[in-house]
Amino acid sequence: MGKFDSNRFDSANQEWETPDNLFRAVHEMFHFTRDVCASESNTKCPSYWTETDSCLDKTWDGVNWMNPPYKAMKQFIKKAYDERERAVTVCLIPARTNTRWWHEYCMNGEIWFICGRPKFKGCKHGLPQPLALVVFGREVGKMHSFQLPPQESQ
């Protein structure tokens, strides 16, 4: 469960599953071939890498979906950025525009700012921060608005 401390929102759970309505809408646009940050229980693609079969140690190809663990987000964003010549990767991440890594990596990708608050599986509410889809391996510097599709009842 998330908790507020003196300066941030923190979550002990690092495996929040992407909402199906959000994934389906993005998958229709990109046609993913692999989920690079998954577990057997939350993968969105038939081909996937897990924490023990880490994407950080692999050479990427195809069109990848990435909902990274937020505690180590910078290293996953850097990896997706580094693989941009070989693969297209769509990253679902907080829009942390005040961080150095956002400006160093994300601003050199294609950004889709999400309108709405996706409710991840197992959560009662949406995240208390804006989210974005950052795409590496396509156009640089383009920005778009992504309207969140209606949430299915759980």
Side-chain angles (χ1 to χ4, degrees):
M1 176 172 172
K3 63 179 179 173
F4 283 97
D5 65 14
S6 62
N7 66 358
R8 65 188 170 108
F9 184 80
D10 193 20
S11 177
N13 182 356
Q14 294 295 307
E15 294 188 13
W16 294 110
E17 184 176 344
T18 304
D20 290 333
N21 64 323
L22 171 60
F23 180 78
R24 273 196 300 275
V26 179
H27 181 60
E28 285 178 20
M29 294 167 35
F30 291 94
H31 308 286
F32 298 110
T33 57
R34 182 179 299 113
D35 187 338
V36 297
C37 293
S39 68
E40 188 174 331
S41 65
N42 74 11
T43 186
K44 296 296 181 187
C45 302
S47 177
Y48 62 96
W49 291 324
T50 65
E51 187 174 1
T52 55
D53 185 29
S54 178
C55 68
L56 298 174
D57 302 329
K58 307 260 189 293
T59 299
W60 298 9
D61 61 6
V63 182
N64 300 293
W65 171 251
M66 185 172 83
N67 176 4
Y70 286 10
K71 69 179 177 187
M73 190 170 321
K74 180 182 175 181
Q75 67 182 342
F76 287 92
I77 295 299
K78 182 181 182 317
K79 177 65 173 174
Y81 175 82
D82 290 346
E83 295 291 337
R84 71 192 181 283
E85 298 296 324
R86 290 181 285 276
V88 171
T89 304
V90 178
C91 313
L92 174 61
I93 60 173
R96 294 188 178 153
T97 61
N98 61 327
T99 63
R100 185 165 305 179
W101 60 261
W102 178 273
H103 288 267
E104 189 173 342
Y105 303 116
C106 299
M107 293 299 292
N108 289 301
E110 179 181 354
I111 302 169
W112 293 75
F113 289 101
I114 297 176
C115 180
R117 287 177 63 180
K119 189 170 97 175
F120 287 75
K121 290 189 173 185
C123 293
K124 291 181 184 176
H125 307 287
L127 289 178
Q129 58 195 335
L131 296 177
L133 298 165
V134 177
V135 184
F136 296 111
R138 289 190 356 156
E139 300 185 60
V140 173
K142 278 203 153 186
M143 293 189 198
H144 313 273
S145 179
F146 178 84
Q147 182 63 47
L148 188 64
Q151 182 86 27
E152 297 102 14
S153 10
Q154 293 185 350

